[in-house]
Amino acid sequence: MSVIVHKYGGTSMGSIERIKNVARRVAKWHSAGYKVVVVPSAMSGETNRLLNMAKEITPLPHERELDMLASTGEQASSALLAMALLAEGIPARSYTGWQLPIYTDNSHTKARIISIDHKKILDNLNDGKVVVVTGFQGINENGDITTLGRGGSDTSAVAIAAVLKAKECLIYTDVDGVYTTDPRIVSEARRMSTVSFEEMMEMSSLGSKVLQIRSVEFAGKYRVPTRVLSSLTDPLIPLEEEMISGTLINFEEDKEMESAVVSGIAFSNNESRITLLDVPDTPGIASSILTPVADANIDVDMIVQNQSVDGNTDFSFTINHVDFQRTVNLLKDVVIPAVKARDLAIEEKVAKVSIVGLGMKSHVGVASTMFKTLAKEGVNIKMISTSEIKTSIIIDIKYMELAVRSLHHVFGLDAK
Ligand code: ADP
Ligand code: ASP
Ligand code: MG
């Protein structure tokens, strides 16, 4: 019988009653003959609670210990789910990432999965058991627990589905699919029955937290049929031929259908902008600034270097807010003395809003419609970056929702 992987997010696992509901859903699939692997997240709020306690101890907690702590949320929810399944009369066993093991690289708090030993999973499935595997975690070559970055249980699930060559990876969450934008911000957002792999990659990398970017990468690399659907409203088990709910990631280019110019709006209020002021404009300056940042495993997103005046220039870049304090410390301690910048200008929290669409490849004037719309709303743009299928802007957080709503409307995405 087919292997199926279910992933349940924090809200789906958010209370004992919800965990029992998850067990009932999994029991249905098991009884229908599927070999089921379940990947739960921590109960909602738990990962934040753990990370906040760490921050109360010290503003920059040791990253190895942070992973020891943050990974416990998934261990607890996995054990509770296995108990709930057993209580339903379903044979089940839970494993942590290190028990299998799931091997990752050494980047604590944002580790990448390198390989998964799936022997224990297969043995248990062949014994008729449901296997529950903690999301979000693995171990590195030293045997230390690592975590995969916020939202990382999606990636655990898709990676496990890839090694098991599962029929589908079902990402059960608190919305019933991928929408044209976050339906919690724009009530007119529309659910898409399929989303192209390229668009999903962009949406995830630009802040739509419905799927973690690395889960989409895995899905693409190993062609894992991956579907987003609701644990709260979707039927317990769809019949084979009716597996049409939610949103399926589509890997094939649909030549018949003309792509929408803009098919989705992504946004994030979790960006920080940092500007080095009056840096001498000499060859190698970008490298002197960004190499130490990259060596510290901090991802830089947008970069702008201005026209130089009197041989000096301003150099701005954005990063994810999780890395804010580390970046500022690094710039002050290492980079500023090395490049002789005059000062640092910091915006700790700014918003990024992006329009995404495969159709942007073949249409001109899309970005200018975006800028015109924002100008009409009085929104000042601080930075712009573009690629073939997206345009992103950095703006003040207070304008983020207004910008998302007006762009959603202007590009014809509102539900009729
Ligand atoms: P889980 O805990 O199940 O992993 P997340 O909170 O990580 O759930 O992701 C689901 C949330 O993603 C939704 O509640 C929704 O607010 C948000 N979201 C952002 N962009 C989108 C989008 N384009 N489509 C659907 N949901 C989105
Ligand atoms: N519990 C982790 C988080 O809150 C992982 C996940 O939910 O996917 O980020
Ligand atoms: Mg998530």
Side-chain angles (χ1 to χ4, degrees):
M1 240 311 185
S2 310
V3 175
I4 195 111
V5 175
H6 287 198
K7 180 261 174 179
Y8 292 91
T11 314
S12 311
M13 296 291 294
S15 65
I16 295 302
E17 211 30 62
R18 290 214 169 138
I19 292 177
K20 287 182 179 172
N21 269 334
V22 167
R24 282 192 276 273
R25 179 185 297 277
V26 172
K28 280 261 185 202
W29 285 79
H30 181 261
S31 306
Y34 283 93
K35 293 180 168 175
V36 195
V37 179
V38 194
V39 179
S41 291
M43 295 171 78
S44 59
E46 179 61 7
T47 309
N48 285 344
R49 188 183 74 87
L50 295 166
L51 297 178
N52 287 338
M53 282 197 296
K55 284 238 162 81
E56 277 179 40
I57 300 240
T58 165
L60 269 184
H62 191 280
E63 293 197 323
R64 177 188 181 279
E65 304 310 324
L66 211 48
D67 279 350
M68 280 290 282
L69 179 69
S71 60
T72 61
E74 270 70 11
Q75 182 171 340
S77 61
S78 294
L80 288 169
L81 179 57
M83 283 174 205
L85 284 162
L86 289 163
E88 285 279 321
I90 303 294
R93 181 160 290 187
S94 68
Y95 291 94
T96 59
W98 57 268
Q99 282 176 310
L100 292 179
I102 295 174
Y103 290 107
T104 72
D105 64 15
N106 293 327
S107 315
H108 281 292
T109 76
K110 43 177 131 169
R112 282 179 183 271
I113 294 176
I114 294 170
S115 65
I116 297 178
D117 184 341
H118 58 304
K119 182 175 181 316
K120 286 197 183 86
I121 303 182
L122 282 180
D123 288 351
N124 279 287
L125 289 177
N126 291 334
D127 264 5
K129 293 194 181 75
V130 169
V131 184
V132 182
V133 180
T134 51
F136 184 51
Q137 59 176 277
I139 50 166
N140 65 17
E141 58 191 2
N142 309 318
D144 291 327
I145 293 179
T146 52
T147 64
L148 309 180
R150 298 309 303 266
S153 299
D154 298 333
T155 303
S156 311
V158 177
I160 289 169
V163 293
L164 296 174
K165 301 193 171 47
K167 180 179 159 71
E168 270 201 26
C169 182
L170 303 180
I171 307 281
Y172 281 103
T173 181
D174 54 7
V175 283
D176 62 352
V178 179
Y179 280 68
T180 46
T181 191
D182 188 339
R184 295 187 199 289
I185 301 295
V186 181
S187 54
E188 292 83 8
R190 277 187 288 115
R191 183 175 66 78
M192 303 183 261
S193 55
T194 63
V195 59
S196 77
F197 166 69
E198 291 90 341
E199 286 170 336
M200 197 62 240
M201 281 288 285
E202 289 288 0
M203 295 277 281
S204 292
S205 80
L206 297 168
S208 291
K209 69 170 181 163
V210 63
L211 284 176
Q212 198 203 35
I213 172 80
R214 287 181 188 164
S215 69
V216 187
E217 275 168 19
F218 263 105
K221 187 163 174 194
Y222 299 101
R223 293 294 157 117
V224 182
T226 302
R227 185 187 298 269
V228 175
L229 64 183
S230 166
S231 71
L232 309 175
T233 57
D234 274 304
L236 280 190
I237 181 161
L239 296 172
E240 290 270 320
E241 57 280 17
E242 286 175 10
M243 281 185 66
I244 48 165
S245 56
T247 301
L248 187 67
I249 299 181
N250 180 12
F251 302 111
E252 309 305 330
E253 206 179 317
D254 195 341
K255 295 203 177 71
E256 298 289 295
M257 221 176 73
E258 200 188 335
S259 306
V261 179
V262 172
S263 53
I265 317 269
F267 56 88
S268 154
N269 58 7
N270 239 345
E271 317 288 314
S272 305
R273 177 162 86 146
I274 295 177
T275 303
L276 287 151
L277 298 166
D278 282 346
V279 189
D281 191 9
T282 50
I285 204 70
S287 155
S288 312
I289 296 170
L290 297 177
T291 304
V293 175
D295 290 346
N297 203 16
I298 295 165
D299 290 324
V300 169
D301 182 13
M302 291 189 202
I303 304 170
V304 171
Q305 183 180 336
N306 290 329
Q307 172 82 29
S308 64
V309 179
D310 298 334
N312 285 333
T313 182
D314 294 342
F315 190 98
S316 302
F317 60 94
T318 62
I319 50 166
N320 190 293
H321 184 256
V322 279
D323 292 321
F324 174 73
Q325 200 52 55
R326 280 202 309 133
T327 309
V328 170
N329 293 351
L330 180 74
L331 292 174
K332 284 188 173 156
D333 297 345
V334 179
V335 175
I336 291 187
V339 301
K340 301 194 170 44
R342 176 171 57 82
D343 205 355
L344 206 56
I346 289 166
E347 283 163 285
E348 181 167 349
K349 283 242 176 170
V350 288
K352 178 165 71 172
V353 176
S354 312
I355 55 174
V356 174
L358 284 175
M360 286 167 75
K361 281 186 193 173
S362 50
H363 285 78
V364 291
V366 183
S368 70
T369 304
M370 179 186 202
F371 304 148
K372 230 182 283 167
T373 306
L374 297 171
K376 219 161 77 192
E377 300 289 353
V379 178
N380 184 37
I381 300 173
K382 294 166 180 280
M383 280 171 122
I384 301 170
S385 94
T386 61
S387 78
E388 250 195 333
I389 67 162
K390 71 117 203 275
T391 299
S392 299
I393 50 153
I394 296 286
I395 56 176
D396 272 342
I397 284 196
K398 66 178 179 208
Y399 295 124
M400 185 179 79
E401 293 191 8
L402 170 69
V404 172
R405 282 201 194 90
S406 39
L407 293 171
H408 196 267
H409 181 72
V410 144
F411 287 109
L413 298 176
D414 286 356
K416 298 286 178 299

